[in-house]
């Protein structure tokens, strides 16, 4: 296959960064919907259920996805992947709740730094133990240096939590919730990746993931309602803009998959993360500039540099082989 023109690659990289900016927008919608809907769980359920509805439509529309569903029974009987992989959706449910809970307390920029930093560190652990579909990957000096800088950048950014805690005592808790979400999401992606390989369809694996997410959230809401913490259901009818959180998450994934042939997975990942970090910081500066401190700006930039160092392989060139969304 012919190598794409530099201008086409540059355009694809801009699109990747734009797709990365969808993540803070999704987080902002989920967080903003929590209060009018009556809590973090209703906001998370609305996001996950709308995403599930979209994936069910895709499962019917995409031929490879229909074939993937025919493989589910075989994979389950033969244990081609561990059965507990179906619980990956619970990690997704936790991530959505973390969005709803944390963004209002610590802001989009700090939430993005916590998630990206923890996610990058846990991905190194996943490479060491060989949990991902790619198997075991070596840990180089470059990745260790990037990991150390990542810790520094995240620590500098988190320094601003103290000032936010004066306004919101839940800020330190929200930061911990975001870090845990970042640590877990790498394992979720690895489980979904291996499941997608077994089914022969990423759409099938993603749909099953959202089924587990919605089921887990409904169970959690029932328990919380029985304990009298929140009522079951929505406090008021969702407004039109609240329905976009779930589809934005799917659009982020679909955009990434479509750009793989032009950029390769390494450059694509850097583009997406750049969009997420920079977009989160810009949205915070636009929406609540008085709450953004110097430490968060410096920490975000250090984290961005650390991700570049950790992710980039000097000899790793983009793969130009075509890839189809399945």
């Amino acid at each position: 296959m012919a190598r794409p023109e530099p201008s086409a690659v540059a355009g694809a990289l801009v699109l990747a960064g734009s797709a990365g900016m969808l993540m803070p927008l999704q987080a902002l919608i989920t967080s903003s919907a929590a209060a009018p809907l009556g809590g973090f769980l209703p906001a998370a359920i609305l996001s996950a259920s709308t995403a599930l509805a979209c994936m069910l439509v895709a499962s019917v529309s995409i031929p490879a996805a229909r074939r993937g569903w025919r493989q589910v029974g075989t994979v389950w009987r033969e244990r081609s992947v561990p059965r507990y992989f179906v619980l990956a959706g619970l990690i997704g449910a936790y991530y959505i709740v973390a969005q709803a809970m944390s963004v209002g307390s610590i802001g989009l920029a700090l939430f993005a730094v916590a998630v990206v930093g923890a996610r990058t560190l846990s991905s190194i652990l996943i490479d060491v133990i060989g949990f991902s579909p790619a198997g075991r990957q070596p840990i180089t000096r470059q990745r260790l240096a990037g990991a150390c800088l990542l810790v520094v950048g995240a620590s500098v950014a988190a320094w601003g939590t103290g000032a936010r805690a004066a306004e919101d005592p839940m800020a330190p808790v929200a930061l911990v919730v975001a870090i845990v979400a970042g640590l877990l999401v790498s394992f979720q992606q690895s489980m979904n990746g291996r499941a997608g390989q077994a089914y022969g369809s990423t759409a099938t694996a993603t749909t099953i993931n959202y089924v587990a997410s919605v089921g887990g959230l409904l169970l959690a809401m029932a328990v919380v309602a029985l304990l009298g913490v929140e009522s079951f259901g929505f406090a008021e009818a969702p407004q039109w803009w609240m329905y976009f959180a779930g589809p934005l998450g799917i659009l982020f994934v679909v955009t990434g998959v479509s750009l793989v042939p032009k950029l390769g997975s390494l450059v694509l990942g850097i583009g997406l993360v750049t969009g997420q970090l920079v977009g989160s910081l810009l949205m915070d500066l636009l929406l609540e500039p008085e709450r953004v401190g110097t430490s968060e700006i410096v920490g975000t930039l250090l984290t961005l540099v650390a991700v570049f160092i950790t992710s980039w392989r000097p000899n790793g060139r983009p793969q130009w082989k075509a890839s189809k969304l399945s």
Side-chain angles (χ1 to χ4, degrees):
M1 185 175 180
R3 189 183 183 92
E5 295 294 329
S7 58
V9 174
L13 192 57
V14 171
L15 287 176
S18 301
M21 291 185 179
L22 296 177
M23 295 304 290
L25 182 57
Q26 179 196 29
L28 180 63
I29 292 174
T30 305
S31 174
S32 301
L37 292 182
F40 305 131
L41 288 174
I45 285 176
L46 181 62
S47 175
S49 59
T50 51
L52 174 59
C54 293
M55 288 310 305
L56 289 174
V57 173
S59 295
V60 175
S61 305
I62 302 175
R66 294 197 295 269
R67 292 193 297 271
W69 281 108
R70 291 194 287 270
Q71 291 294 321
V72 171
T74 302
V75 170
W76 187 261
R77 289 192 301 271
E78 296 179 354
R79 297 177 185 264
S80 303
V81 293
R83 292 186 175 179
Y84 70 84
F85 275 22
V86 73
L87 299 179
L90 299 184
I91 297 178
Y94 174 81
Y95 182 85
I96 300 172
V97 172
Q99 285 182 329
M101 175 181 176
S102 301
V103 170
S105 296
I106 62 177
L108 288 165
L110 191 49
F111 178 81
V113 168
V115 169
V116 170
R119 175 180 173 180
T120 305
L121 292 177
S122 63
S123 68
I124 295 177
L125 173 62
I126 287 173
D127 282 347
V128 171
I129 64 179
F131 189 72
S132 75
R136 292 190 178 186
Q137 302 292 322
I139 302 302
T140 63
R141 294 177 183 176
Q142 173 187 329
R143 297 194 74 182
L144 288 176
C148 292
L149 182 58
L150 193 64
V151 172
V152 173
S155 299
V156 171
W159 193 264
T161 309
R164 289 181 180 267
E167 302 176 14
D168 187 348
M170 289 298 292
V173 177
L175 180 62
V176 173
V177 169
I179 291 173
V180 173
L183 292 173
L184 291 177
V185 75
S186 291
F187 288 92
Q188 180 205 25
Q189 290 178 333
S190 295
M191 286 189 280
N192 285 338
R194 290 171 61 180
Q197 286 183 339
Y199 301 142
S201 169
T202 55
T204 302
T206 303
T207 304
I208 293 174
N209 179 86
Y210 277 116
V211 169
S213 294
V214 173
L217 288 169
L218 287 173
L219 179 61
M221 180 180 278
V223 172
V224 168
L226 288 174
L227 294 176
V229 179
E230 290 181 2
S231 59
F232 191 88
F234 298 144
E236 59 182 64
Q239 299 181 41
W240 63 269
W241 55 269
M242 298 178 184
Y243 290 97
F244 283 91
L248 279 173
I250 296 175
L251 184 59
F252 170 81
V253 175
V254 171
T255 303
V257 171
S258 65
L259 292 177
V260 165
K262 291 184 178 296
L263 296 177
S265 59
L266 290 176
V267 181
L268 173 64
I270 291 175
L272 292 173
V273 168
T274 300
Q276 183 177 357
L277 288 173
V278 175
S280 297
L281 181 59
L282 291 177
M283 289 181 68
D284 262 355
L285 288 171
L286 179 64
L287 297 175
E288 46 180 11
E290 70 283 352
R291 298 188 66 190
V292 180
T294 304
S295 62
E296 292 178 50
I297 297 175
V298 174
T300 300
L301 296 178
L302 284 175
T303 302
L304 183 59
V305 173
V307 170
F308 269 80
I309 294 174
T310 306
S311 303
W312 187 261
R313 284 180 274 187
N315 297 324
R317 297 182 181 276
Q319 299 295 316
W320 308 115
K321 185 177 179 180
S323 172
K324 294 181 179 180
L325 176 62
S326 60

